C-alpha cells in the first residue's frame, strides 16, 4: 500500500492536471462509466464538525475508493489548521485490497476549483470579461486562481459576508494582474461569470443580481440546509450539475426543488455537455448555473493521478499492510 502525505501534494498536483482529471471523470459519469455512491454526511456533535464519506467507482479509469473527512469550523481560530480536513483511500478494484492513502486537503481545493473551471470552460460566454466572487475563504482563493485561466477576464469584483476577508481574493487577482474591486451584491449584475463559495445557510445572490448571459457557479452548497443563491435564480437559469442526485438533495437545487419551482428533469449533467450529448449554452442571453456539489469520483480521480506521479518520482511511501 502506498501513502502520499499531505505535505507532498503541492509539488505533485498542478491546476492543469486537476482540471483534466475532473473534466474526464465528469464525462465518464455522464456516459455511465463511473458512478458515485450515496454520500454520508453527519453532524457528529463534537467541535460543530460535519464528517462524512464520498465514494465511487470509475470503471473506465479503474479507480475505486472514498474520501473521508469534512468541515471543522473552529480549526483555523483554535489550532491554525484549515477547516476542511480529508483523506482519500483508494482500493484495488480487482481484489478489494487497500491500495493508497492520500492527503486530501489540497486535493479537495484543487478538484473543487477544477470543477467550476470546467463549468466555465463549457458554459460561460467566450467573451466574458468580468468575474464576480462571492466568498473569500480558503476555497475562494483556489476558485478564483483557476477561473482566471479560463477566459480573458479584465476585472474581478468581490463581495463577502465578512468584508475583512476580501483581501484574500484581492491578492489572487493582483497576482494574476487583474484589477479587483469590492462591491455590494447588486453590482454582481456587472459580472459575466459569478462564483459563489461560502458556507452560508441563506441566499446572498438574488435572481435580480444576475444579468442575462451570465454563468453562475454555485460551489459552496454541499449539505442539506446550505444555500447561497435565491431559488428563483434556478428558474431563470439553465441548471447543470456534477451529479443530479446530489444537486437535488444536498446542492443548491434542493431549495428550488423543495419549493416546487423546478423539477429533477430541469437539472442536467455537465458531463453531458463535455460529451456533446447536451448542447450546453444555446444563446448568448441564457443564464447558465452550475450546481457544484462535489463528488467522490473527483477526489478519486485527482488522488489516483497523484499516486501515479508520487510512485514515478519516488516520493510515495510504501507500507506492508
Ligand atoms: P472558509 O471557512 O474558509 O470560508 C467560509 C466562507 O463563507 C467565507 O467567505 C465566509 O465569509 C463565508 N460565510 C460564512 N458565514 C456566512 C454567512 N452566514 N453568509 C454568507 N457567507 C458566509 O470555508 P471554505 O473552505 O472556503 O469553504 C466554503 C464552502 O465551500 C463550505 O460550505 C464548504 O463546505 C464548501 N465546499 C464545497 C465543495 C464542493 O465540492 N462543492 C468543496 C469544498 C468546500
Amino acid at each position: 500500500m502506498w501513502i502520499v502525505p499531505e505535505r507532498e501534494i503541492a509539488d505533485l498536483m498542478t491546476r492543469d492536471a486537476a482540471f483534466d482529471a475532473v473534466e474526464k471523470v465528469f464525462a465518464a459519469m455522464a456516459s455511465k462509466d463511473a458512478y458515485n455512491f450515496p454520500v454520508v454526511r453527519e453532524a457528529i456533535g463534537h467541535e460543530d464538525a460535519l464528517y462524512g464519506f464520498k465514494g465511487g467507482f470509475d470503471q473506465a479509469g479503474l479507480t475505486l475508493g472514498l474520501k473521508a473527512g469534512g468541515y471543522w469550523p473552529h480549526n483555523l481560530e483554535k489550532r491554525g489548521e484549515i477547516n476542511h480536513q480529508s483523506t482519500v483511500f483508494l482500493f484495488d478494484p480487482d481484489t478489494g485490497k487497500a491500495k493508497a492513502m492520500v492527503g486530501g486537503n489540497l486535493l479537495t481545493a484543487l478538484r473543487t476549483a477544477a470543477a467550476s473551471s470546467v463549468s466555465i470552460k463549457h458554459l460561460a460566454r467566450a467573451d466574458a470579461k468580468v468575474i464576480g466572487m462571492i466568498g473569500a475563504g480558503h476555497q475562494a482563493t483556489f476558485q478564483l486562481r483557476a477561473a482566471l485561466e479560463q477566459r480573458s477576464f479584465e476585472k474581478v469584483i468581490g463581495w463577502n459576508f465578512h468584508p475583512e476577508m476580501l483581501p484574500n481574493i484581492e491578492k489572487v487577482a493582483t497576482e494574476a494582474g487583474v484589477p479587483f474591486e469590492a462591491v455590494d451584491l447588486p453590482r454582481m449584475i456587472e459580472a459575466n461569470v459569478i462564483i459563489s463559495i461560502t458556507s452560508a445557510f441563506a441566499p446572498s445572490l438574488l435572481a435580480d443580481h444576475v444579468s442575462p448571459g451570465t454563468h453562475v457557479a454555485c460551489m459552496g452548497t454541499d449539505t442539506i440546509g446550505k444555500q447561497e443563491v435565491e431559488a428563483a435564480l434556478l428558474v431563470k437559469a439553465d441548471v447543470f450539475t456534477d451529479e443530479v442526485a446530489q444537486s437535488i438533495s444536498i446542492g443548491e437545487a434542493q431549495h428550488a426543488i423543495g419549493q416546487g419551482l423546478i423539477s429533477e428533469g430541469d437539472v442536467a449533467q455537465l458531463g453531458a455537455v463535455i460529451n456533446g450529448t447536451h448542447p450546453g449554452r444555446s444563446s448568448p442571453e441564457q443564464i447558465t448555473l452550475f450546481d457544484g456539489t462535489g463528488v467522490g469520483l473527483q477526489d478519486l480521480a485527482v488522488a489516483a493521478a497523484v499516486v501515479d506521479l508520487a510512485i514515478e518520482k519516488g516520493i510515495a511511501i510504501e507500507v506492508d499492510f
Side-chain angles (χ1 to χ4, degrees), residues 3 10 12 23 45 78 80 113 153 202 230 254 261 285 296:
I3 296 177
L12 289 167
E23 190 179 43
K78 277 195 185 171
F153 289 111
E230 189 183 19
Q254 64 180 289
L261 299 175
E285 298 301 297

Side-chain angles (χ1 to χ4, degrees), residues 39 44 122 126 240:
V39 174
I44 59 172
H122 290 279
F240 299 84

Side-chain angles (χ1 to χ4, degrees), residues 118-236:
V118 169
S119 83
I120 293 168
K121 174 182 166 184
H122 290 279
L123 295 172
R125 282 170 54 147
D127 60 355
K129 294 281 180 267
V130 179
I131 179 162
M133 290 296 301
I134 296 175
H138 181 72
Q139 304 291 332
T141 58
F142 288 88
Q143 291 283 321
L144 181 58
R145 202 168 286 125
L148 286 172
E149 291 167 351
Q150 291 307 315
R151 293 290 185 271
S152 304
F153 289 111
E154 293 172 357
K155 187 170 181 183
V156 180
I157 57 178
W159 177 89
N160 194 43
F161 187 72
H162 303 100
E164 68 279 8
M165 293 170 80
L166 282 170
N168 292 339
I169 53 170
E170 178 170 14
K171 184 165 175 272
V172 174
T174 306
E175 278 168 9
V178 184
F180 175 85
E181 188 184 356
V183 297
D184 290 336
L185 278 167
R187 283 203 42 209
M188 282 294 153
I189 199 104
E190 294 167 29
N192 314 115
V193 170
I194 299 172
I195 297 177
S196 62
I197 180 88
T198 69
S199 45
F201 280 81
S204 306
L205 188 73
L206 305 184
D208 285 349
H209 298 155
V210 180
S211 56
T214 302
H215 173 62
V216 185
C218 302
M219 304 303 298
T221 297
D222 55 1
T223 305
I224 291 173
K226 279 190 188 171
Q227 186 173 11
E228 300 192 285
V229 307
E230 189 183 19
L233 179 60
L234 281 83
V235 181
K236 264 174 100 171

